[in-house]
Amino acid sequence: MSLIFAAKSIITMNPSQARATHMAVRDGHILAVGDASHIAQWRQAWGDMPIDESLSDKILMPGFVEGHTHMMEGLFWNYDYVGYYDREGPDGNVIAGLKSIDDVVARLSQINQQRDDKTQPLIAWGFDPIFFDGRRMNTADLDKVSTDCPVIVLHASLHILNTNSLVIEQAGVTPGDNNEAVRRDENGHPSGEFLGQLGMYMAMRTTGLDLLGAAGSAQTLINFANVARQTGVTTATDLANPVPVEAVQTMRDTVSQDSFPMRLVVAFQGGGADPQAGIARIQELQSQQTDKLRFSLVKFVADGSIQGFSARLKFPGYFNGADNGLWYIEPDRLKALISAYHAAGIQIHIHTNGDECTDVALDAIEAALRENPWPDHRHTLQHCQMANRAQFKRMAKLGVGVNLFSNHLYYWGDAHINITMGPERAARLDDAGGALAENVPVAIHSDAPVTALAPLFTAWCAVNRVSSKGVKLGGETEKLTVEQALYAITMGAAYSLHMDHEIGSLEVGKRADVAILEADPLQVEAAHLKDIAVYGTILGGKVHVNKRGAK
Amino acid sequence: MSNKVVPITIIAGFLGTGKTSLLNHLLAHAEGRRLTALVNDFGALNIDSELIAAQNGNQISLANGCVCCSIGDDLTLALAQVMNQTPRPDHILIEASGVADPARIAGFAQVDRELRLDGIITLVDALAHQRHANDPHLADNYQRQIAAGHFLLLSKTDLASAAQTHSVSQQLAAQKPTTPIAIIEHGVFDAKVLLGLNETGLLPAQAEIKHDLRQWSAHMTAPVPRLDLLNSLSTLAPHLLRAKAVLHDAEGAYVLHYAGGQSSVSPFDASPSGHFVLIGKPDMPDDASLEQLLTPQAPLPAHRQTEARQ
């Protein structure tokens, strides 16, 4: 089965043939790339092929590769979205963004009114207070929605949630040593805002729901893939998953469906005490891989987050003087884990947010490389937000890549300047320009559902480096050019997953995975990169059109 | 009884300080309690297979009614699942990871009226104390665990010299003068001290208390104002390890739990038994002094009355 796609222009990401207009696809792979006359030569030898002209006014790019997302993105679509921006649900319907707290309350009240059982918990997600300057949501707001059922609004970051007063009453919230996790109003009463695990625990207890437990269902996977597809993604990651035995069959059955529009790379969650058991598990999973479902790597989470003050920082630590963060894995144990997985030839991705943690991870990789040389391991530091030039130099020497959390610049840039890191270090937060200058392979990511999954937005963040309040973080040395950013969301991420020989560029022999765009990202103003509409994707030659694009 | 309040005990300490040995000991000496232990790694527990009644996925049920659950990657989820189950366990033990901040874990009890923080046990390796206290990456973590501990248990003292043990003990006492510090040998420590006293508040027999601990008990029918009692108990730190009282005052019946300086008082919805039990170290004041201090017949010293918070 062969087919020729004719486009307005094709950005190939293949340096020897940067642009084309036509692409021939055969059995899911790219047979030919070029202009009309070039394709005609292929038809002479390979027989007649129909031409699909439906994309002739579109720009084609390699399908985007998201190297750090979580399947949990798909879980929240079971609840109601109350974010600031219009958002396309997995069914393709657009949910209008809400521009004030009162709008959120009105939407939730309406949803509650339309429910049959008004005593069931009402859960919403995607709320983002950064857009409502100076005003925090509180219990009085959510009590307007209902005082008869628990009302819980998860913030976009997932680190914070708001509740109505019924939840506080049912939970029996008391003052404690860690009051930073329970926001209080001027009278000392809980304001309704809860941070971190404490809030999530309370939500699960008062609703009796496994808010995080249903993350492995088929519907979650399908939601995740559709949400990603709508932003041009053809390969995304679940970073990471314990991959319990019972989940694998669901994954395989779901992903293998023709209608499932994405390749999925699942990282094994490898923090467990016995690395040999984890290695055996990964090897078993790898023996059952398909072209759409991969289990190619192990992931460790070594510290917390910068905005949660749980990332491990070197001197002088947090700008506001907060205590240093938390290790999630002891440095010695991290070293032992890295040594074991590295010796078994398994690629390792390590979450290191703070610069102290980055040092410890690099020490461990260096030690593992002395034990077992492995020239093309492509171990990758995930987030790695505070890395400085010395660390990037070291990474380059060790063959370590980086996948930077560029969306952070927008979402938490202001907090990093004013609270967590101070202006000097915030200026080189997620320093993609610095990493490239020091020859470190670079990818950039959203960490969805922590921030919005949309590679063109992530690219916009890395290029423009602007916070949500419009403040610039750093400048020419730290930014990516548009070309570099487009490379990062295609070839860069594919390289970090050891898949750059298969995907990430449109060239002969590679998989026919394509993002279909309404405008040329190399022609628009860099400031408008995020506004380019995605028409759909092609996965292995099969076209998936967004509902918006299909009108 | 599905809505009963469940006490929670957090066992903290660096890797290799003996958390697993202690957990094993407590599971084997549950004394009728149905404990649920949330642990990092089953394998390390090395439970005698004859004691295992059932095993499925991330849960092992023991013949004595105790359960071990693997925390996996998410303590929040693991704890919520245990608390959302019926029936609830009698007591929850959490094995904190070697780098966890136990105070943060204790916060769960703050947003769950059905959880009561009983205490945080921090294990300190007498042999490795100096190394841990000076570790370039972990020193702050170490101090946090010590600061959060309501009991500080010194392990590995059989491998350390007497002078070393004494020195560590002195350093910890200087840092936390009101926190009880005790030696734990091969994971063995009296479960009554670490997990508390049974429902009646009385120990079955005096003989069960080991020779290196002291017990004092009383039966009090007169009202005892709870704040006065809390204040009196606080003067016994760090010699007092554990107390339980089921008494009443003008506000009604109450139950008081004291564990190494961590205390909680909650309403008691039955007729109070008047039981009052203390377990302390050998250097706890003698019985006559305790009687003088704790029974309502003795008028409170004036300075303590003024300190009483209301």
Side-chain angles (χ1 to χ4, degrees), chain A residues 100-119:
Chain A
S100 71
I101 290 174
D102 290 342
D103 286 353
V104 173
V105 170
R107 166 80 58 81
L108 288 174
S109 300
Q110 185 194 6
I111 291 167
N112 189 44
Q113 288 308 316
Q114 290 166 355
R115 297 195 301 169
D116 291 333
D117 186 349
K118 297 181 174 52
T119 63

Side-chain angles (χ1 to χ4, degrees), chain A residues 169 174 178 201 324 356, chain B residues 73 110 112-114 137 144:
Chain A
E169 187 187 313
T174 56
N178 55 343
Y201 174 79
N324 203 347
E356 183 188 8
Chain B
D73 194 46
Q110 190 195 331
D112 190 345
R113 64 165 80 247
E114 291 166 356
H137 299 301
R144 265 180 232 175

Side-chain angles (χ1 to χ4, degrees), chain B residues 180-192:
Chain B
I181 301 163
I183 287 171
I184 180 168
E185 288 172 356
H186 304 291
V188 178
F189 205 92
D190 199 310
K192 291 180 204 66

Side-chain angles (χ1 to χ4, degrees), chain A residues 9-325:
Chain A
S9 182
I10 301 175
I11 302 171
T12 67
M13 289 290 153
N14 171 9
S16 84
Q17 187 188 20
R19 289 273 180 172
T21 54
H22 290 66
M23 183 175 87
V25 175
R26 189 181 181 91
D27 299 332
H29 289 79
I30 297 168
L31 178 69
V33 183
D35 58 20
S37 64
H38 174 85
I39 293 289
Q41 295 170 29
W42 280 86
R43 291 168 93 176
Q44 284 171 14
W46 288 73
D48 197 26
M49 295 175 248
I51 297 186
D52 182 337
E53 299 276 1
S54 67
L55 307 178
S56 57
D57 62 340
K58 312 295 182 202
I59 306 295
L60 307 191
M61 272 194 69
F64 300 139
V65 182
E66 231 300 5
H68 191 151
T69 51
H70 299 270
M71 197 192 289
M72 201 197 293
E73 166 78 18
L75 177 66
F76 292 102
W77 290 100
N78 298 326
Y79 308 116
D80 291 294
Y81 171 73
V82 292
Y84 183 82
Y85 290 111
D86 293 358
R87 198 142 166 184
E88 208 162 341
D91 57 3
N93 289 321
V94 177
I95 302 163
L98 300 171
K99 306 302 181 193
S100 71
I101 290 174
D102 290 342
D103 286 353
V104 173
V105 170
R107 166 80 58 81
L108 288 174
S109 300
Q110 185 194 6
I111 291 167
N112 189 44
Q113 288 308 316
Q114 290 166 355
R115 297 195 301 169
D116 291 333
D117 186 349
K118 297 181 174 52
T119 63
Q120 289 300 306
L122 186 59
I123 295 168
W125 64 281
F127 177 71
D128 208 334
I130 59 180
F131 301 110
F132 309 124
D133 211 16
R135 161 104 154 82
R136 309 293 293 190
M137 182 182 270
N138 57 37
T139 49
D141 293 313
L142 294 184
D143 285 349
K144 287 183 208 153
V145 176
S146 174
T147 52
D148 300 326
C149 71
V151 180
I152 292 168
V153 175
L154 301 168
H155 289 214
S157 70
L158 295 183
H159 289 285
I160 305 176
L161 56 80
N162 272 89
T163 72
N164 63 349
S165 51
L166 182 70
V167 170
I168 291 173
E169 187 187 313
Q170 285 181 349
V173 177
T174 56
D177 293 336
N178 55 343
N179 278 326
E180 71 273 16
V182 180
R183 285 240 163 89
R184 287 173 194 275
D185 62 22
E186 58 275 16
N187 302 319
H189 301 301
S191 70
E193 201 173 291
F194 296 87
L195 276 66
Q197 292 178 311
L198 209 65
M200 198 53 93
Y201 174 79
M202 191 179 65
M204 286 195 280
R205 284 283 293 125
T206 51
T207 62
L209 295 172
D210 262 7
L211 280 177
L212 307 173
S217 76
Q219 192 55 51
T220 297
L221 265 171
I222 292 166
N223 288 348
F224 173 44
N226 279 316
V227 169
R229 173 186 66 74
Q230 286 157 2
T231 68
V233 170
T234 50
T235 298
T237 44
D238 184 27
L239 220 68
N241 193 310
V243 205
V245 176
E246 63 273 16
V248 179
Q249 195 59 44
T250 309
M251 277 185 200
R252 205 177 297 126
D253 292 349
T254 310
V255 173
S256 65
Q257 304 277 328
D258 254 5
S259 58
F260 190 88
M262 194 177 79
R263 299 181 205 286
L264 179 65
V265 179
V266 179
F268 181 77
Q269 185 176 294
D274 179 7
Q276 293 313 323
I279 290 163
R281 179 79 181 126
I282 293 175
Q283 287 166 342
E284 185 196 344
L285 289 167
Q286 288 185 341
S287 71
Q288 306 166 39
Q289 294 189 132
T290 68
D291 62 317
K292 284 172 78 181
L293 181 61
R294 307 292 173 94
F295 300 97
S296 48
L297 52 103
V298 64
K299 184 194 175 196
F300 305 123
V301 178
D303 70 347
S305 70
I306 301 170
Q307 74 276 16
F309 299 102
S310 50
R312 288 293 309 191
L313 269 51
K314 294 174 30 155
F315 179 86
Y318 288 100
F319 188 51
N320 70 348
D323 284 346
N324 203 347

Side-chain angles (χ1 to χ4, degrees), chain A residues 449-483:
Chain A
V450 176
T451 70
L453 198 178
L456 283 174
F457 172 76
T458 304
W460 175 88
C461 290
V463 169
N464 293 283
R465 298 185 62 87
V466 172
S467 76
S468 59
K469 288 191 177 152
V471 180
K472 272 262 184 195
L473 289 92
E476 292 304 310
T477 25
E478 294 80 16
K479 63 171 263 196
L480 293 184
T481 65
V482 174
E483 288 86 345

